């Protein structure tokens, strides 16, 4: 199959290591024949909002073609982090919460995204990709963390402002391996995916269908995996497809340029698992 859409792209305005220029994104997407694509710089909390405003300004200055869309990627956060940023509490702590407060131990358990309808309107946000980038729990119990990630994804699927569930289950291997504390390869546990109950994925599929929202097949996440875990991901997506789930493709660009060979690799993989262009949809908001 041929990929024609890409709805996960980060520009140099994103708060992480992304470095692509918007004019280069347009040029390369058009050269590779993509029919619809969208920008999705990170918004963890309102601390990152100036980055989104800068991205919007640059997006408009690029005279974007009609098939280039302005979106964002939000992270599910703990409400306490959002409240602390809003109150300016981080100044007293002497830190800069680019990624929220990743040293927390007293989570409230109340999930949230730091986005509202007013910001969506003011920034011209056409679609919202929602993902998990870290656990919001201090638990070290394997099954509790699996359940925690399931709950986080269900929150995102059910949120009225989220249009796409980004990279399902990604970062679970870091949470279970306790990578967020040690930050080394020895604390990444990729065996955890085999322990995810089938029930969780069936319930996620049912909720995605009920909410009429697509899941993302993330190029960066899928292609970085060893063969056995890549197979696990592709079997998951094929099973979801059989249950009626639709998808978006997200390159998840953080480099300066796209890699055409990687796109072709994912196209071959999707073909192998019986995907076609009709399985992919547009994620735009319906107001």
């Amino acid at each position: 199959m041929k990929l024609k859409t890409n709805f996960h792209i980060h520009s140099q305005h994103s708060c992480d290591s992304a470095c692509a220029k918007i004019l280069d994104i347009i040029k390369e997407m058009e050269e590779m024949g993509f029919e619809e694509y969208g920008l999705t710089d990170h918004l963890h909390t309102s601390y990152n909002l100036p980055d989104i405003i800068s991205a919007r300004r640059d997006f408009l200055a690029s005279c974007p073609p009609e098939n280039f869309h302005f979106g964002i990627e939000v992270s599910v956060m703990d409400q306490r982090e959002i409240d602390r940023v809003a109150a300016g509490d981080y100044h007293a702590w002497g830190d800069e919460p680019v990624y929220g407060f990743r040293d927390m131990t007293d989570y409230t358990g109340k999930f949230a995204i730091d986005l509202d309808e007013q910001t969506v309107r003011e920034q011209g946000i056409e679609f919202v990709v929602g993902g998990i980038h870290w656990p919001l729990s201090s638990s070290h119990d394997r099954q509790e963390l699996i359940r925690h990630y399931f709950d986080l994804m269900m929150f995102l699927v059910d949120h009225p402002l989220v249009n796409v569930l980004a990279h399902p289950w990604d970062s679970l291997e870091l949470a279970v391996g306790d990578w967020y504390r040690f930050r080394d390869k020895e604390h990444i546990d990729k065996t955890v995916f085999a322990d995810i109950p089938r029930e969780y994925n069936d319930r996620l599929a049912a909720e995605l269908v009920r909410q009429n929202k697509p899941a993302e097949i993330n190029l960066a996440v899928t292609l970085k995996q060893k063969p056995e875990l890549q197979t696990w991901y592709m079997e998951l997506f094929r099973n979801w497809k059989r249950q009626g789930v639709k998808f978006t493709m997200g390159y998840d660009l953080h480099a300066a340029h796209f890699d055409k060979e990687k796109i072709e690799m994912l196209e071959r993989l999707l073909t192998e698992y019986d995907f076609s262009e009709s399985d992919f949809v547009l994620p735009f908001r319906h107001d």
Side-chain angles (χ1 to χ4, degrees), residues 35-99:
E35 297 177 357
E36 304 279 350
Y37 53 101
L39 196 68
T40 54
D41 285 337
H42 283 288
L43 178 73
H44 305 308
T45 70
S46 59
Y47 187 85
N48 312 117
L49 186 56
D51 300 326
I52 302 302
I53 293 171
S54 295
R56 178 65 178 175
R57 187 182 305 119
D58 200 2
F59 174 84
L60 293 174
S62 73
C63 298
E66 290 185 1
N67 61 338
F68 185 26
H69 304 276
F70 189 79
I72 61 171
E73 181 181 12
V74 298
S75 297
V76 56
M77 308 295 289
D78 188 272
Q79 185 64 53
R80 178 170 172 264
E81 298 178 82
I82 292 172
D83 293 342
R84 276 184 60 184
V85 169
D89 187 23
Y90 55 92
H91 292 301
W93 291 62
D95 50 20
E96 295 184 355
V98 174
Y99 302 102

Side-chain angles (χ1 to χ4, degrees), residues 248-259:
T248 60
M249 190 284 284
Y251 188 105
D252 209 347
L253 178 72
H254 285 80
H257 302 285
F258 294 99
D259 186 331

Side-chain angles (χ1 to χ4, degrees), residues 81-258:
E81 298 178 82
I82 292 172
D83 293 342
R84 276 184 60 184
V85 169
D89 187 23
Y90 55 92
H91 292 301
W93 291 62
D95 50 20
E96 295 184 355
V98 174
Y99 302 102
F101 300 97
R102 303 278 52 86
D103 57 347
M104 286 172 52
T105 57
D106 52 344
Y107 291 98
T108 67
K110 184 177 181 180
F111 306 150
I113 63 171
D114 203 354
L115 182 68
D116 55 29
E117 285 282 5
Q118 181 178 346
T119 302
V120 168
R121 289 192 301 271
E122 289 176 350
Q123 299 307 317
I125 296 168
E126 298 178 65
F127 68 101
V128 177
V129 176
I132 305 167
H133 294 99
W134 40 69
L136 303 177
S137 167
S138 298
S139 174
H140 291 88
D141 181 83
R142 190 181 189 85
Q143 288 302 320
E144 283 185 14
L145 283 167
I146 293 172
R147 175 66 194 215
H148 177 63
Y149 267 62
F150 168 75
D151 290 341
L152 289 169
M153 284 188 285
M154 288 291 280
F155 168 81
L156 287 168
V157 174
D158 289 339
H159 198 288
L161 293 182
V162 173
N163 302 97
V164 180
L165 176 63
H167 41 64
W169 295 109
D170 186 43
S171 84
L172 176 64
E173 70 274 28
L174 305 181
V176 170
D178 209 11
W179 179 89
Y180 289 98
R181 183 159 54 126
F182 292 99
R183 307 269 170 166
D184 61 49
K185 290 183 179 180
E186 299 302 316
H187 290 86
I188 300 175
D189 185 357
K190 294 195 174 185
T191 68
V192 68
F193 295 97
D195 293 337
I196 297 171
R198 173 69 180 265
E199 174 198 0
Y200 288 177
N201 285 325
D202 288 346
R203 287 173 62 185
L204 280 164
E207 193 63 13
L208 284 161
V209 171
R210 190 179 78 84
Q211 295 284 358
N212 193 27
K213 295 181 180 181
E216 178 187 82
I217 298 179
N218 187 288
L219 179 148
V221 171
T222 304
L223 295 186
K224 77 179 181 181
Q225 307 299 346
K226 292 183 178 179
E228 60 272 19
L229 190 50
Q230 188 176 91
T231 297
W232 183 89
Y233 266 108
M234 294 309 300
E235 290 289 356
L236 168 66
F237 296 140
R238 181 159 62 182
N239 286 334
W240 278 4
K241 179 169 76 81
R242 290 168 176 167
Q243 295 177 67
V245 176
K246 294 296 185 179
F247 299 89
T248 60
M249 190 284 284
Y251 188 105
D252 209 347
L253 178 72
H254 285 80
H257 302 285
F258 294 99

